């Protein structure tokens, strides 16, 4: 694996919230996250709703500013650049995002060609003539499998899969090195999902792109990602090569996630691990208690007196658990 393309170091995001009896309560959405993505690598980010995945990808995409920590790209801490200023920096083009809902993320007044062409002119190759833009749009449409006759259509005239292709082409127009894919197929029919996922896999291999792939579908993550990062209540609790994490999860929470993956015919039945107990609050969490302790059947005294740190447990494997 090559050197890191982008690296988060101690990345935090805290949101002020109103809480009874507290003058300044903070919701710890992302809490001291370390994450590195190498060139050409596909990293899956998983965890249940509310674990901080979406906030983390918004930080890495530089759509919001971190409360603390560094985000290093090309040897520069781009996390120190306010999000509004970063929009005007050349690095903006290198980090692009494909959003969850292809309908909501497209301008209803723009044709498919307008959407792709705007990204090309503003972020990638501004100053070129209209003929250059038209040619680039046609090439990108062909790369994502969007028929030429669809370029003149508005979003309401396109199917879900076609809108997804427009969103992908728009992101590629900036010639990025990192694509952040936030549940890119969750709003699509199952049959269309498979086609778009194959497209994304092909584009990554052909263009040498790095992906940060956020998904609730662990089977998809297993198929498309080289490495998996598991989050729980704002913290990374396990990471490692995808096959190793899925075949031999080390953290109790990861084991519960993996046990819930539907198994196909002939793969045998897996015992489902059902979590009990209350989910700990992300508002001003204790710095000395494991976030998962309230739901962990294996918790012991140390879990409520010392927060486990993420540490190496093998080649490429990291786990935040006192049992490891």
């Amino acid at each position: 694996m090559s050197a890191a393309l982008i690296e988060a170091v101690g990345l935090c995001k805290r949101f002020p919230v109103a809480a009874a009896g507290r003058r300044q309560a903070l919701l710890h959405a992302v809490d001291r996250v370390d994450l590195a993505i190498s060139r050409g690598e596909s990293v899956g980010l998983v965890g249940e709703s509310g674990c901080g995945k979406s906030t983390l990808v918004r930080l890495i995409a530089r759509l919001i500013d971190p409360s603390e920590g560094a985000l290093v790209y090309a040897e520069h801490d781009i996390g120190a650049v306010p999000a509004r200023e970063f929009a005007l920096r050349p690095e903006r083009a290198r980090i692009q995002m494909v959003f969850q809902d292809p309908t909501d993320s497209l301008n209803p007044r723009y044709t498919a060609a307008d959407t792709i062409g705007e990204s090309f002119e503003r972020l990638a190759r501004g100053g070129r003539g209209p003929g250059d833009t038209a040619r680039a749009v046609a090439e990108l449409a062909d790369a994502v499998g969007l028929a030429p006759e669809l370029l003149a259509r508005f979003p309401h005239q396109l199917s879900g899969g076609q809108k997804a292709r427009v969103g992908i082409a728009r992101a590629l127009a900036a010639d990025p090195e990192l694509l952040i894919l936030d549940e890119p197929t969750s709003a699509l029919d199952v049959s269309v999902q498979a086609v778009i996922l194959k497209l994304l896999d092909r584009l990554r291999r052909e263009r040498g792109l790095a992906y940060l792939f956020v998904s609730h579908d662990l089977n998809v993550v297993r198929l498309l990602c080289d490495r998996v990062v598991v989050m729980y209540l704002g913290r990374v609790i396990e990471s490692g090569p995808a096959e190793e994490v899925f075949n031999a999860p080390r953290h109790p929470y990861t084991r519960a996630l993996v046990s819930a993956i539907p198994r196909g015919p002939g793969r045998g039945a897996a015992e489902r691990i059902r979590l009990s107990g209350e989910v700990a609050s992300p508002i001003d969490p204790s710095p000395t208690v494991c976030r998962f302790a309230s739901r962990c059947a294996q918790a012991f005294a140390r879990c409520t007196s010392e927060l486990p740190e993420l540490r190496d447990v093998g080649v490429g494997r990291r786990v935040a658990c006192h049992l490891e």
Side-chain angles (χ1 to χ4, degrees):
M1 190 160 47
S2 57
L5 170 67
I6 191 166
E7 184 174 10
V9 182
L11 206 60
C12 299
K13 183 61 180 180
R14 308 181 189 99
F15 296 99
V17 294
R22 296 174 181 170
R23 286 174 25 181
Q24 189 179 18
L26 295 173
L27 187 151
H28 292 232
V30 173
D31 190 10
R32 291 186 291 155
V33 166
D34 294 337
L35 172 65
I37 303 174
S38 297
R39 296 181 183 276
E41 183 184 27
S42 180
V43 177
L45 184 61
V46 303
E48 61 194 7
S49 297
C51 73
K53 302 189 304 296
S54 293
T55 301
L56 178 58
V57 299
R58 290 172 69 199
L59 287 169
I60 295 174
R62 296 304 294 113
L63 300 178
I64 59 174
D65 295 323
S67 304
E68 190 179 320
L71 185 64
V72 181
Y73 172 80
E75 300 183 351
H76 297 289
D77 181 10
I78 61 174
V81 181
R84 288 187 176 184
E85 293 182 21
F86 187 77
L88 305 175
R89 296 277 292 263
E91 296 95 334
R92 170 72 284 162
R94 306 283 81 82
I95 304 170
Q96 290 293 298
M97 191 163 180
V98 176
F99 297 93
Q100 180 173 359
D101 192 327
T103 299
D104 290 345
S105 63
L106 299 180
N107 189 328
R109 297 182 179 181
Y110 279 22
T111 64
D114 293 336
T115 296
I116 301 169
E118 181 189 40
S119 182
F120 176 83
E121 291 186 342
R122 291 182 58 185
L123 295 177
R125 307 165 183 86
R128 299 284 185 92
D132 295 316
T133 298
R135 281 191 293 273
V137 168
E139 290 172 1
L140 285 167
D142 181 64
V144 300
L146 190 68
E149 60 270 20
L150 299 178
L151 289 172
R153 295 188 184 181
F154 293 92
H156 72 276
Q157 298 171 315
L158 299 172
S159 69
Q162 291 164 350
K163 284 182 280 193
R165 293 174 193 273
V166 173
I168 295 167
R170 173 177 58 184
L172 293 178
D175 194 22
E177 293 184 301
L178 172 66
L179 268 190
I180 299 173
L181 303 146
D182 187 7
E183 299 273 6
T185 61
S186 62
L188 304 176
D189 293 338
V190 174
S191 58
V192 180
Q193 286 183 21
V195 174
I196 297 300
L197 290 170
K198 287 181 181 178
L199 168 65
L200 289 169
D201 187 53
R202 174 176 62 79
L203 290 171
R204 180 175 75 92
R205 299 178 188 282
E206 289 178 353
R207 295 170 177 256
L209 295 166
Y211 283 172
L212 178 58
F213 193 95
V214 184
S215 180
H216 283 94
D217 190 332
L218 299 186
N219 273 325
V220 169
V221 172
R222 186 171 194 166
L223 287 171
L224 293 186
C225 297
D226 306 311
R227 189 158 53 91
V228 177
V229 175
V230 185
M231 286 188 72
Y232 185 80
L233 283 183
R235 293 178 65 85
V236 173
I237 51 93
E238 184 166 359
S239 67
E243 280 305 309
E244 292 186 24
V245 171
F246 284 113
N247 289 332
R250 305 283 289 266
H251 195 282
Y253 176 67
T254 312
R255 292 191 193 108
L257 281 183
V258 172
S259 76
I261 299 176
R263 292 164 107 41
R267 294 186 60 187
E271 183 180 354
R272 175 74 181 271
I273 300 173
R274 299 189 181 277
L275 300 175
S276 59
E278 293 293 325
V279 178
S281 174
I283 299 174
D284 291 336
S286 170
T288 60
V289 176
C290 172
R291 302 284 167 83
F292 188 60
S294 62
R295 303 173 75 190
C296 182
Q298 298 171 276
F300 60 108
R302 187 181 177 189
C303 302
T304 56
S305 61
E306 180 185 343
L307 182 68
E309 296 294 335
L310 198 64
R311 59 188 181 85
D312 294 334
V313 293
V315 179
R317 295 292 301 272
R318 305 190 79 194
V319 179
C321 182
H322 293 312
L323 296 170
E324 292 292 332

